Amino acid sequence: MTRRVTYSQLGGPEVLTISEVPEPHAGAGEVRVRVKFAGINPFDAKVFSGGATSTPQNVTFPNGNGNDFAGVVDEVGDGVARWALGDEVLGGKGFSAQADYVVVPERKLVRKPASLSWEQAGGLDIAGRTAWASVESLSLTPADTVLVSAAAGGVGVIAAQLAKLKGAKVIGSASASNHEFLQSLGIHPVTYGEGMVERILEISPEGITAALDNNGRETVDAALALGAPADRINSIADYAALKEYGTTGVGAAGATPDDLAALSALVAAGTVQVPIDSVFPFEQVSEAYAKLIQGHSRGKIVLSL
Ligand SMILES: NC(=O)c1ccc[n+]([C@@H]2O[C@H](COP(=O)([O-])OP(=O)(O)OC[C@H]3O[C@@H](n4cnc5c(N)ncnc54)[C@H](OP(=O)(O)O)[C@@H]3O)[C@@H](O)[C@H]2O)c1
């Protein structure tokens, strides 16, 4: 038997339990990974609390939990040519990754660069692919001034740095406690909340040309007020704005394993920083989500198995 996070009713983080389940095995074209670190994401919490507005609507109990993982290949199925036992990998598999073992199609895995930390690798898939796809969707250039909301959070901190690599001037919204950190990354920090538009105009009197929203309506409204055209405002947190204003909503599904590999290389090289807010032991998965739900993590929270 082996361990897996499951839940059998909707609710807060307390519904998560560690269950004993039979060991999974790799089928043809699949690889089994012994997980070392697993990530946690707000989407998981939206699903297990019943608050998800996007897929999946039909959760069947007991449901598995978690998408991001990093670990070591320990079983390969028939026909797998790309991976061998002992390979260090990262990737994602929805509602499955918070477990001792995860079984994935071989094409979904990415090789872990030696200098990428296990903690960073374990939390990179969803936030990394989302940041990558959202930044690419805006075709940013050095002519852009872009507002990135929740710029110290899991997605935002990566998106802000990728936007900067495109040459754009980046203004990142965050609490005061994150301003020095954002400045150290070359990002202009701004406090969110009432008066944000005026504070951004002090940083950029000519307004902004694009926005990457990772928090919700306040950023979308501010971006429109600051002159960004609706089709250059990408929100991964407010899908109602898509219909209302014609903003875009490119998220994780817009990036491939190759994109994740490219981002992994940038993080491994230190070109993009992915801070690890905290590491929780696997047994404290509920506590990890309780911290995530508070909404003020810097970078990623991960579970250690
Ligand atoms: N569509 C997709 O593919 C996709 C993929 C990933 C995530 N998402 C969604 O995107 C959102 C962000 O995800 P995440 O993983 O980055 O979350 P996260 O890491 O939990 O975000 C935490 C950050 O949110 C900031 N924050 C809290 N309240 C804020 C406010 N009122 N305005 C601006 N920033 C605020 C915090 O900043 P301070 O600590 O500085 O206050 C903190 O750094 C979530 O809603 C998630 O579900 C969507």
Side-chain angles (χ1 to χ4, degrees), residues 35-168:
V35 177
K36 287 172 81 75
F37 284 88
I40 74 172
N41 285 289
F43 178 68
D44 314 330
K46 290 176 188 173
V47 176
F48 67 65
S49 68
T53 52
S54 55
T55 55
Q57 297 301 328
N58 303 315
V59 174
T60 52
F61 299 130
N63 201 32
N65 196 55
N67 172 85
D68 312 342
F69 65 85
V72 177
V73 171
D74 88 329
E75 194 179 276
V76 292
D78 287 345
V80 170
R82 209 186 303 181
W83 303 106
L85 301 187
D87 283 349
E88 298 182 346
V89 294
L90 65 145
K93 184 174 179 185
F95 314 105
S96 304
Q98 290 166 5
D100 284 321
Y101 297 99
V102 62
V103 173
V104 286
E106 66 165 331
R107 67 178 191 292
K108 293 268 188 164
L109 285 176
V110 164
R111 198 171 298 279
K112 185 183 91 61
S115 53
L116 180 67
S117 77
W118 279 109
E119 291 85 346
Q120 289 172 318
L124 202 57
D125 185 64
I126 285 275
R129 284 190 300 114
T130 303
W132 187 280
S134 61
V135 170
E136 289 299 320
S137 78
L138 291 183
S139 304
L140 297 170
T141 73
D144 279 305
T145 299
V146 59
L147 170 62
V148 179
S149 61
V155 176
V157 73
I158 301 173
Q161 292 173 85
L162 292 176
K164 200 156 183 310
L165 286 175
K166 299 284 185 189

Side-chain angles (χ1 to χ4, degrees), residues 40-43 46 126-127 130 149-156 173-178 192-193 213-215 218-219 235-237 239 249-253 292 294-300:
I40 74 172
N41 285 289
F43 178 68
K46 290 176 188 173
I126 285 275
T130 303
S149 61
V155 176
S173 75
S175 299
S177 59
N178 278 316
Y192 52 76
D213 171 43
N214 306 303
N215 190 260
E218 184 198 13
T219 315
S235 176
I236 59 160
Y239 290 105
V250 177
L292 181 80
Q294 287 169 9
H296 295 288
S297 36
R298 179 186 288 180
K300 293 299 301 180

